[in-house]
Amino acid sequence: MKIRLFITLLFISSFCAAQTAVNYNQSNLAKLVTLDLKAHKISNVLQKIGNAGGFYFTYNGALFGQDSIVNLNVRNKPVREVLEQLFDGKVDYKENAEYIILRYAVNHFAIEAESIITAENLYAITGRVVDTQTGKKVKNASVYEKRLLQSALTDDEGFFSLRFKGAHDAIVLTASKETYRDTSIVFLSSIDIKPKGYNDPDKNKGTFVSNLLDNIKIGRWLTSSKQRIRNINVPDFLTNMPVQASLVPGLSSHGSMSGSVVNKFSLNLIGGYTAGVDGAEIAGVFNINKTDVRYAQVAGVLNLAGGTTEGVQVAGVFNVVGQNANGVQVSGVYNHVRGKTNGIQVSTANFTRGLVEGMQISAVGNVAGQKLRGFQLTGFLNLVRRDVDGFQISGVINSTLQNLKGVQLSGILNYAKHNKGFQLGLVNVADTSSGVSFGLINFVKRGYHKISISSNDVINTNIAFKGGNSSLYTIFLLGKNFVAQENIETFGLGFGHDFFAGKRFSFSTELTAQHLHLGRWDHANILNRFQLNLQLRLSKLLSIYGAPVINYYVSEAPTDYVVASGYKSQISPSYSKDIRGHKGWLGWSVGVNLF
């Protein structure tokens, strides 16, 4: 019995191992997968291959029809062979850590040498790049030597010419072009030996290079068409060098291959175009980098990085980052980050498409495309498209299109879709609110809206609008005393807070200040009232209340002042008390609340 159980467990473990068949130390393309899929979308098939191999695919959505249906039945096959089976050799692929990068590459070409000249400290090669299927010459293909950083673009007849200084045992040329598979070939120093095919050890290795330079007009304007073609043809090859210097893009110490070199130090008298910086870069006018910039970048006008920045980026006019910015960005006019910002942005205007963790400080406006976890300070507008978990301070407008979990302080308007924090401004607006809004006007779309009609010991007819939420609502009031020879007109504002004790009974506190018009405008007459409303809810839309009131009346009129005819001359009752030269007394108020 024990032997049978042991054999059964051994079989089950062997079967499970056959199903996974993944060695996570292998390259992703060499990992073995076992799948049996029928009538699946090709995007789902790629996801299942990635799940089986422990990696992800990245590709352009136009590479294939997303709704294309395929069948796949493979057992212990390398991912490379599975992709060949799926795409019939029409897709090229490269690896990058946990990713496999797919690109359309249906065509194949070859490098045909026409002449090879060797001399002392000179090696020259001319030739053509030819489509192997059609025999046609391929124009605008990049032909380059990775180690020596020399490259050329083929002309309309597919012709190229390259010269290398120094003594070289072998020259390895690689040809690349969009929709073609890369081809590499080795040329030995003796012209008596025919060129051989070359298996590039890096052919399956790639890196993510932003196409930011092709999408921004100023990037296209500052780089030549040949440089942009090389960028399309050779997007994945990067190498490192200690120093480069350039006058303008193309006139560089690295020549036409400058866009494939990451430098420790880069000096550009007018402007430069490189793959990236891992140290420091300085330019009189502009710096353009295909990928990442680390530590320090300074330009008189423009810094444009296609990848991620880390450190300090300073420009006289604007900074543009294709992915994430970590550190400090300072510019005279505009900072733009297409990913997320973790650090500080200082400019006339700042924009981050993703999350902001840190500070945005500007003269005109700050925009965070996702969440803000930090601080925004501007003279005009702060805008966050999702949640604010921090501070927004603006001279005019603060706005968050989702949740406010922090603080908004503005000179005029604050807006939050869901206020869960604190708003202080002239006008505060929210769709819903469980926080506090303090201002002249507090409006909550799905909040506290009541109309109150009341009478009190001073003015017999009052109407008030109350808006905000139960934590803090604003009161706008108007009133008139309809008594012969005791006329009063009044207007004022105040704040209130609801305390709920039950479904039927509740109470609230209100503090108001109102001007009493006694027929003339030559003196201020201010009646301040603090009242405790005891409320009884009769229905969903109607409640009644009564309240004891503490009145404190402040008037600038002299004691011998005579009011206008028909207006009340004595506001405070005979039992009022003198408080620092003004009158105080206990009064009352009764009324109804609608809604």
Side-chain angles (χ1 to χ4, degrees), residues 300-371:
V301 176
L302 162 70
N303 288 312
L304 179 58
T308 294
T309 62
E310 182 179 336
V312 179
Q313 193 179 46
V314 180
V317 181
F318 55 94
N319 295 307
V320 180
V321 177
Q323 294 181 19
N324 302 326
N326 303 309
V328 179
Q329 269 191 325
V330 180
S331 71
V333 177
Y334 182 54
N335 289 319
H336 182 102
V337 177
R338 303 186 101 191
K340 65 182 181 181
T341 294
N342 187 349
I344 302 173
Q345 288 182 306
V346 181
S347 186
T348 302
N350 296 306
F351 173 85
T352 296
R353 181 175 290 179
L355 167 72
V356 173
E357 290 186 298
M359 300 174 61
Q360 289 183 312
I361 302 174
S362 73
V364 175
N366 297 308
V367 176
Q370 292 186 15
K371 295 182 179 180

Side-chain angles (χ1 to χ4, degrees), residues 235-300:
D236 300 315
F237 169 60
L238 296 180
T239 189
N240 295 276
M241 297 292 284
V243 178
Q244 85 89 32
S246 67
L247 179 63
V248 293
L251 295 178
S252 163
S253 57
H254 296 326
S256 58
M257 290 294 285
S258 63
S260 296
V261 181
V262 177
N263 303 282
K264 287 291 184 182
F265 179 74
S266 178
L267 176 63
N268 306 306
L269 295 182
I270 296 176
Y273 171 61
T274 67
V277 176
D278 189 20
E281 183 171 47
I282 301 173
V285 180
F286 64 88
N287 294 308
I288 300 178
N289 306 94
K290 281 169 53 177
T291 60
D292 301 340
V293 173
R294 295 180 66 193
Y295 304 129
Q297 189 178 51
V298 180

Side-chain angles (χ1 to χ4, degrees), residues 457-566:
D457 59 300
V458 178
I459 301 167
N460 58 20
T461 306
N462 300 276
I463 185 169
F465 171 77
K466 303 176 182 181
N469 63 19
S470 59
S471 297
L472 185 66
Y473 56 86
T474 305
I475 304 168
F476 295 93
L477 61 88
L478 296 172
K480 183 174 176 64
N481 196 45
F482 292 96
V483 177
Q485 301 303 312
E486 293 187 356
N487 189 27
I488 301 174
E489 290 98 18
T490 184
F491 59 89
L493 58 87
F495 301 96
H497 175 76
D498 262 2
F499 299 87
F500 293 96
K503 293 183 179 181
R504 289 288 183 182
F505 295 96
S506 63
F507 64 94
S508 65
T509 56
E510 293 180 351
L511 178 65
T512 60
Q514 58 194 106
H515 176 76
L516 305 185
H517 178 244
L518 303 176
R520 297 176 182 175
W521 296 98
D522 47 356
H523 296 286
N525 304 297
I526 306 299
L527 178 62
N528 302 285
R529 297 168 60 86
F530 176 78
Q531 63 187 61
L532 178 63
N533 299 328
L534 305 175
Q535 300 171 148
L536 172 64
R537 180 173 292 278
L538 302 178
S539 70
K540 185 178 180 180
L541 301 178
L542 177 66
S543 64
I544 60 175
Y545 70 89
V549 179
I550 297 175
N551 295 287
Y552 183 64
Y553 180 60
V554 178
S555 177
E556 293 181 349
T559 54
D560 58 350
Y561 182 75
V562 179
V563 301
S565 176

